[in-house]
Amino acid sequence: ILGTNLFELSKAEQQPDWLKEARIGEHVPESLEYGIGSFTYRSLRPFHPARFRELARAMETRVELMPEVKMEGSENIEISEANRPALRVVRSKGIVWIACGFGQSQQGIASLAGRHFTVSPGPPWWASISKDQWPEGLEDKITPLWNEPWGDRQNELVVIGQDMDGPAVRAALDACLLTDEEMGENVECWDNFENPWQQAWDKQLQIAEAQQQSASHDHGHDHSHGTH
């Protein structure tokens, strides 16, 4: 059903009978009937940008779920054996910590929607902001999330799949994290990692900056009219 695009989890969950069936147990919930499962992945180490991109590419490909739909260029994509469980992933969203310059200062907003996995610029990590600029009371509130020496930097990713081997996908995500040796390197060395996310990240920042400048210009223009 998923392979023919006839079933969409987000739409099914909005139907009144979805919760009724799950609670009362009179019918098999769609999540079970169609083999839908999920888990939340958390880690306190950053993802290696290149290894994480390889895994994201496997999620984008999804040849096992939609073999009749060919993604442009997918025939040239090589999926490693370790990343093959990710071919069963249908949706993912969360925050990620990428081991690179921008990843040290900002959260990455990760999203797999359709056949596109993106990492967009998110809010800054509080660890990258001087504490004298923190809102009052934040230090106490953030304590449960704080881990020295990295502060609040972390990964938290919801992963949804069909007939998915959860432990295998977790293992694939673990393999994307920096190794002990890589973690031991100077942070500045992380900028030397191959970073397939950089170009798209920079482009999104440029678009956001242009939009902000346009909004600022329009706001100023409105005020200038108001003075007449």
Side-chain angles (χ1 to χ4, degrees):
I1 297 296
L2 277 179
T4 55
N5 295 319
L6 296 179
F7 175 79
E8 293 186 37
L9 180 65
S10 59
K11 290 184 179 179
E13 287 179 326
Q14 293 171 10
Q15 299 301 316
D17 289 341
W18 173 277
L19 283 178
K20 179 181 177 182
E21 292 181 356
R23 290 170 180 165
I24 300 176
E26 295 178 353
H27 305 284
V28 177
E30 282 87 342
S31 59
L32 296 178
E33 184 176 350
Y34 296 109
I36 301 296
S38 67
F39 66 88
T40 300
Y41 178 83
R42 298 181 176 90
S43 72
L44 298 177
R45 288 193 180 201
F47 286 125
H48 187 290
R51 293 199 292 268
F52 186 52
R53 185 67 190 98
E54 287 300 310
L55 181 61
R57 191 169 288 116
M59 294 183 185
E60 290 176 329
T61 305
R62 289 163 58 182
V63 292
E64 292 190 4
L65 292 177
M66 304 176 70
E68 74 288 352
V69 180
K70 292 292 185 182
M71 185 174 67
E72 185 177 352
S74 62
E75 63 274 5
N76 298 320
I77 295 176
E78 293 186 9
I79 306 298
S80 70
E81 194 62 32
N83 286 342
R84 289 197 67 81
L87 295 172
R88 311 297 305 186
V89 175
V90 298
R91 188 79 169 88
S92 185
K93 193 175 181 77
I95 60 172
V96 292
W97 174 19
I98 306 293
C100 63
F102 68 70
Q104 280 299 96
S105 59
Q106 284 182 269
Q107 300 176 21
I109 307 301
S111 176
L112 170 68
R115 286 193 157 193
H116 297 282
F117 196 112
T118 58
V119 176
S120 305
W125 299 110
W126 287 111
S128 69
I129 300 175
S130 176
K131 286 188 177 183
D132 59 14
Q133 298 182 42
W134 287 13
E136 185 177 352
L138 175 64
E139 189 165 2
D140 291 334
K141 293 179 181 178
I142 206 172
T143 297
L145 299 175
W146 201 263
N147 292 277
E148 291 292 352
W150 308 110
D152 59 324
R153 298 180 181 95
Q154 60 182 294
N155 297 301
E156 185 167 328
L157 199 62
V158 175
V159 181
I160 303 172
Q162 183 194 19
D163 297 327
M164 174 179 65
D165 184 341
V169 176
R170 284 181 182 274
L173 286 162
D174 284 342
C176 295
L177 300 175
L178 293 196
T179 63
D180 289 343
E181 182 179 355
E182 290 167 336
M183 287 293 293
E185 295 177 353
N186 192 299
V187 173
E188 282 73 22
C189 294
W190 295 357
D191 284 335
N192 296 325
F193 294 150
E194 178 189 352
N195 189 355
W197 305 101
Q198 188 71 57
Q199 186 175 357
W201 181 279
D202 290 342
K203 183 176 181 179
Q204 290 178 78
L205 286 179
Q206 290 172 2
I207 292 173
E209 184 178 354
Q211 291 174 337
Q212 186 175 14
Q213 290 177 348
S214 177
S216 178
H217 174 76
D218 292 342
H219 183 68
H221 188 65
D222 290 342
H223 276 286
S224 66
H225 276 286
T227 59
H228 293 303

